[in-house]
mmCIF file with all atom_site columns, all heavy atoms in Angstrom:
data_model
loop_
_atom_site.group_PDB
_atom_site.id
_atom_site.type_symbol
_atom_site.label_atom_id
_atom_site.label_alt_id
_atom_site.label_comp_id
_atom_site.label_asym_id
_atom_site.label_entity_id
_atom_site.label_seq_id
_atom_site.pdbx_PDB_ins_code
_atom_site.Cartn_x
_atom_site.Cartn_y
_atom_site.Cartn_z
_atom_site.occupancy
_atom_site.B_iso_or_equiv
_atom_site.pdbx_formal_charge
_atom_site.auth_seq_id
_atom_site.auth_comp_id
_atom_site.auth_asym_id
_atom_site.auth_atom_id
_atom_site.pdbx_PDB_model_num
ATOM   1   N N   . THR A 1 157 ? -32.476 69.581 -10.074 1.00 0.00 ? 167 THR A N   1
ATOM   2   C CA  . THR A 1 157 ? -32.925 68.181 -10.149 1.00 0.00 ? 167 THR A CA  1
ATOM   3   C C   . THR A 1 157 ? -33.673 67.914 -11.455 1.00 0.00 ? 167 THR A C   1
ATOM   4   O O   . THR A 1 157 ? -33.520 66.848 -12.068 1.00 0.00 ? 167 THR A O   1
ATOM   5   C CB  . THR A 1 157 ? -33.802 67.852 -8.923  1.00 0.00 ? 167 THR A CB  1
ATOM   6   O OG1 . THR A 1 157 ? -33.010 68.075 -7.754  1.00 0.00 ? 167 THR A OG1 1
ATOM   7   C CG2 . THR A 1 157 ? -34.288 66.420 -8.934  1.00 0.00 ? 167 THR A CG2 1
ATOM   8   N N   . TRP A 1 161 ? -32.176 64.972 -13.600 1.00 0.00 ? 171 TRP A N   1
ATOM   9   C CA  . TRP A 1 161 ? -32.937 63.720 -13.658 1.00 0.00 ? 171 TRP A CA  1
ATOM   10  C C   . TRP A 1 161 ? -34.169 63.777 -14.570 1.00 0.00 ? 171 TRP A C   1
ATOM   11  O O   . TRP A 1 161 ? -34.813 62.746 -14.791 1.00 0.00 ? 171 TRP A O   1
ATOM   12  C CB  . TRP A 1 161 ? -33.398 63.314 -12.237 1.00 0.00 ? 171 TRP A CB  1
ATOM   13  C CG  . TRP A 1 161 ? -32.240 63.110 -11.319 1.00 0.00 ? 171 TRP A CG  1
ATOM   14  C CD1 . TRP A 1 161 ? -31.746 64.009 -10.397 1.00 0.00 ? 171 TRP A CD1 1
ATOM   15  C CD2 . TRP A 1 161 ? -31.383 61.958 -11.234 1.00 0.00 ? 171 TRP A CD2 1
ATOM   16  N NE1 . TRP A 1 161 ? -30.654 63.481 -9.760  1.00 0.00 ? 171 TRP A NE1 1
ATOM   17  C CE2 . TRP A 1 161 ? -30.410 62.224 -10.252 1.00 0.00 ? 171 TRP A CE2 1
ATOM   18  C CE3 . TRP A 1 161 ? -31.366 60.723 -11.890 1.00 0.00 ? 171 TRP A CE3 1
ATOM   19  C CZ2 . TRP A 1 161 ? -29.412 61.303 -9.915  1.00 0.00 ? 171 TRP A CZ2 1
ATOM   20  C CZ3 . TRP A 1 161 ? -30.375 59.807 -11.556 1.00 0.00 ? 171 TRP A CZ3 1
ATOM   21  C CH2 . TRP A 1 161 ? -29.414 60.100 -10.581 1.00 0.00 ? 171 TRP A CH2 1
ATOM   22  N N   . ARG A 1 175 ? -28.432 63.337 -0.353  1.00 0.00 ? 185 ARG A N   1
ATOM   23  C CA  . ARG A 1 175 ? -26.965 63.444 -0.374  1.00 0.00 ? 185 ARG A CA  1
ATOM   24  C C   . ARG A 1 175 ? -26.510 64.875 -0.059  1.00 0.00 ? 185 ARG A C   1
ATOM   25  O O   . ARG A 1 175 ? -25.370 65.089 0.320   1.00 0.00 ? 185 ARG A O   1
ATOM   26  C CB  . ARG A 1 175 ? -26.445 63.071 -1.772  1.00 0.00 ? 185 ARG A CB  1
ATOM   27  C CG  . ARG A 1 175 ? -26.556 61.609 -2.120  1.00 0.00 ? 185 ARG A CG  1
ATOM   28  C CD  . ARG A 1 175 ? -26.335 61.383 -3.619  1.00 0.00 ? 185 ARG A CD  1
ATOM   29  N NE  . ARG A 1 175 ? -25.058 61.854 -4.101  1.00 0.00 ? 185 ARG A NE  1
ATOM   30  C CZ  . ARG A 1 175 ? -23.940 61.129 -4.134  1.00 0.00 ? 185 ARG A CZ  1
ATOM   31  N NH1 . ARG A 1 175 ? -23.951 59.893 -3.707  1.00 0.00 ? 185 ARG A NH1 1
ATOM   32  N NH2 . ARG A 1 175 ? -22.830 61.632 -4.627  1.00 0.00 ? 185 ARG A NH2 1
ATOM   33  N N   . TYR A 1 186 ? -18.842 70.720 1.366   1.00 0.00 ? 196 TYR A N   1
ATOM   34  C CA  . TYR A 1 186 ? -19.834 69.924 0.632   1.00 0.00 ? 196 TYR A CA  1
ATOM   35  C C   . TYR A 1 186 ? -19.971 68.531 1.232   1.00 0.00 ? 196 TYR A C   1
ATOM   36  O O   . TYR A 1 186 ? -21.037 67.946 1.232   1.00 0.00 ? 196 TYR A O   1
ATOM   37  C CB  . TYR A 1 186 ? -19.418 69.813 -0.836  1.00 0.00 ? 196 TYR A CB  1
ATOM   38  C CG  . TYR A 1 186 ? -20.573 69.528 -1.773  1.00 0.00 ? 196 TYR A CG  1
ATOM   39  C CD1 . TYR A 1 186 ? -21.574 70.479 -1.959  1.00 0.00 ? 196 TYR A CD1 1
ATOM   40  C CD2 . TYR A 1 186 ? -20.677 68.336 -2.464  1.00 0.00 ? 196 TYR A CD2 1
ATOM   41  C CE1 . TYR A 1 186 ? -22.635 70.242 -2.817  1.00 0.00 ? 196 TYR A CE1 1
ATOM   42  C CE2 . TYR A 1 186 ? -21.736 68.089 -3.322  1.00 0.00 ? 196 TYR A CE2 1
ATOM   43  C CZ  . TYR A 1 186 ? -22.708 69.044 -3.494  1.00 0.00 ? 196 TYR A CZ  1
ATOM   44  O OH  . TYR A 1 186 ? -23.776 68.810 -4.338  1.00 0.00 ? 196 TYR A OH  1
ATOM   45  N N   . ASN A 1 283 ? -22.638 75.436 -8.759  1.00 0.00 ? 293 ASN A N   1
ATOM   46  C CA  . ASN A 1 283 ? -23.870 74.792 -9.234  1.00 0.00 ? 293 ASN A CA  1
ATOM   47  C C   . ASN A 1 283 ? -24.822 75.852 -9.780  1.00 0.00 ? 293 ASN A C   1
ATOM   48  O O   . ASN A 1 283 ? -24.970 76.920 -9.170  1.00 0.00 ? 293 ASN A O   1
ATOM   49  C CB  . ASN A 1 283 ? -24.575 74.065 -8.072  1.00 0.00 ? 293 ASN A CB  1
ATOM   50  C CG  . ASN A 1 283 ? -23.847 72.796 -7.665  1.00 0.00 ? 293 ASN A CG  1
ATOM   51  O OD1 . ASN A 1 283 ? -22.846 72.423 -8.268  1.00 0.00 ? 293 ASN A OD1 1
ATOM   52  N ND2 . ASN A 1 283 ? -24.355 72.126 -6.643  1.00 0.00 ? 293 ASN A ND2 1
ATOM   53  N N   . TYR A 1 327 ? -25.367 57.434 -14.238 1.00 0.00 ? 337 TYR A N   1
ATOM   54  C CA  . TYR A 1 327 ? -26.168 57.342 -13.012 1.00 0.00 ? 337 TYR A CA  1
ATOM   55  C C   . TYR A 1 327 ? -27.309 56.347 -13.197 1.00 0.00 ? 337 TYR A C   1
ATOM   56  O O   . TYR A 1 327 ? -28.111 56.487 -14.130 1.00 0.00 ? 337 TYR A O   1
ATOM   57  C CB  . TYR A 1 327 ? -26.808 58.692 -12.673 1.00 0.00 ? 337 TYR A CB  1
ATOM   58  C CG  . TYR A 1 327 ? -25.853 59.813 -12.359 1.00 0.00 ? 337 TYR A CG  1
ATOM   59  C CD1 . TYR A 1 327 ? -25.398 60.673 -13.359 1.00 0.00 ? 337 TYR A CD1 1
ATOM   60  C CD2 . TYR A 1 327 ? -25.434 60.038 -11.047 1.00 0.00 ? 337 TYR A CD2 1
ATOM   61  C CE1 . TYR A 1 327 ? -24.539 61.718 -13.062 1.00 0.00 ? 337 TYR A CE1 1
ATOM   62  C CE2 . TYR A 1 327 ? -24.571 61.080 -10.743 1.00 0.00 ? 337 TYR A CE2 1
ATOM   63  C CZ  . TYR A 1 327 ? -24.122 61.920 -11.754 1.00 0.00 ? 337 TYR A CZ  1
ATOM   64  O OH  . TYR A 1 327 ? -23.275 62.959 -11.459 1.00 0.00 ? 337 TYR A OH  1
ATOM   65  N N   . TYR A 1 362 ? -25.877 53.980 -6.525  1.00 0.00 ? 372 TYR A N   1
ATOM   66  C CA  . TYR A 1 362 ? -25.291 55.323 -6.556  1.00 0.00 ? 372 TYR A CA  1
ATOM   67  C C   . TYR A 1 362 ? -24.109 55.331 -5.591  1.00 0.00 ? 372 TYR A C   1
ATOM   68  O O   . TYR A 1 362 ? -24.186 55.899 -4.512  1.00 0.00 ? 372 TYR A O   1
ATOM   69  C CB  . TYR A 1 362 ? -26.375 56.307 -6.103  1.00 0.00 ? 372 TYR A CB  1
ATOM   70  C CG  . TYR A 1 362 ? -26.182 57.755 -6.497  1.00 0.00 ? 372 TYR A CG  1
ATOM   71  C CD1 . TYR A 1 362 ? -27.287 58.562 -6.721  1.00 0.00 ? 372 TYR A CD1 1
ATOM   72  C CD2 . TYR A 1 362 ? -24.928 58.330 -6.622  1.00 0.00 ? 372 TYR A CD2 1
ATOM   73  C CE1 . TYR A 1 362 ? -27.157 59.890 -7.064  1.00 0.00 ? 372 TYR A CE1 1
ATOM   74  C CE2 . TYR A 1 362 ? -24.786 59.656 -6.965  1.00 0.00 ? 372 TYR A CE2 1
ATOM   75  C CZ  . TYR A 1 362 ? -25.901 60.426 -7.196  1.00 0.00 ? 372 TYR A CZ  1
ATOM   76  O OH  . TYR A 1 362 ? -25.767 61.759 -7.531  1.00 0.00 ? 372 TYR A OH  1
HETATM 77  N N1  . UDP B 2 .   ? -28.946 68.709 -5.929  1.00 0.00 ? 27  UDP B N1  1
HETATM 78  C C1  . UDP B 2 .   ? -29.644 69.850 -6.262  1.00 0.00 ? 27  UDP B C1  1
HETATM 79  N N2  . UDP B 2 .   ? -28.993 71.052 -6.220  1.00 0.00 ? 27  UDP B N2  1
HETATM 80  C C2  . UDP B 2 .   ? -27.694 71.161 -5.870  1.00 0.00 ? 27  UDP B C2  1
HETATM 81  C C3  . UDP B 2 .   ? -26.992 70.002 -5.527  1.00 0.00 ? 27  UDP B C3  1
HETATM 82  C C4  . UDP B 2 .   ? -27.635 68.773 -5.582  1.00 0.00 ? 27  UDP B C4  1
HETATM 83  O O1  . UDP B 2 .   ? -30.808 69.776 -6.615  1.00 0.00 ? 27  UDP B O1  1
HETATM 84  O O2  . UDP B 2 .   ? -27.164 72.299 -5.852  1.00 0.00 ? 27  UDP B O2  1
HETATM 85  C C5  . UDP B 2 .   ? -29.663 67.408 -5.956  1.00 0.00 ? 27  UDP B C5  1
HETATM 86  C C6  . UDP B 2 .   ? -29.732 66.840 -7.382  1.00 0.00 ? 27  UDP B C6  1
HETATM 87  O O3  . UDP B 2 .   ? -30.929 66.100 -7.503  1.00 0.00 ? 27  UDP B O3  1
HETATM 88  C C7  . UDP B 2 .   ? -28.507 65.954 -7.411  1.00 0.00 ? 27  UDP B C7  1
HETATM 89  C C8  . UDP B 2 .   ? -28.529 65.359 -6.002  1.00 0.00 ? 27  UDP B C8  1
HETATM 90  O O4  . UDP B 2 .   ? -28.971 66.453 -5.171  1.00 0.00 ? 27  UDP B O4  1
HETATM 91  O O5  . UDP B 2 .   ? -28.616 64.960 -8.403  1.00 0.00 ? 27  UDP B O5  1
HETATM 92  C C9  . UDP B 2 .   ? -27.214 64.816 -5.503  1.00 0.00 ? 27  UDP B C9  1
HETATM 93  O O6  . UDP B 2 .   ? -26.220 65.803 -5.619  1.00 0.00 ? 27  UDP B O6  1
HETATM 94  P P1  . UDP B 2 .   ? -24.669 65.432 -5.693  1.00 0.00 ? 27  UDP B P1  1
HETATM 95  O O7  . UDP B 2 .   ? -23.902 66.702 -5.713  1.00 0.00 ? 27  UDP B O7  1
HETATM 96  O O8  . UDP B 2 .   ? -24.365 64.447 -4.645  1.00 0.00 ? 27  UDP B O8  1
HETATM 97  O O9  . UDP B 2 .   ? -24.595 64.748 -7.137  1.00 0.00 ? 27  UDP B O9  1
HETATM 98  P P2  . UDP B 2 .   ? -23.362 64.099 -7.929  1.00 0.00 ? 27  UDP B P2  1
HETATM 99  O O10 . UDP B 2 .   ? -22.137 64.890 -7.567  1.00 0.00 ? 27  UDP B O10 1
HETATM 100 O O11 . UDP B 2 .   ? -23.305 62.673 -7.488  1.00 0.00 ? 27  UDP B O11 1
HETATM 101 O O12 . UDP B 2 .   ? -23.768 64.270 -9.350  1.00 0.00 ? 27  UDP B O12 1
#
Side-chain angles (χ1 to χ4, degrees):
T167 301
W171 300 99
R185 289 167 58 89
Y196 203 66
N293 287 357
Y337 297 92
Y372 200 149

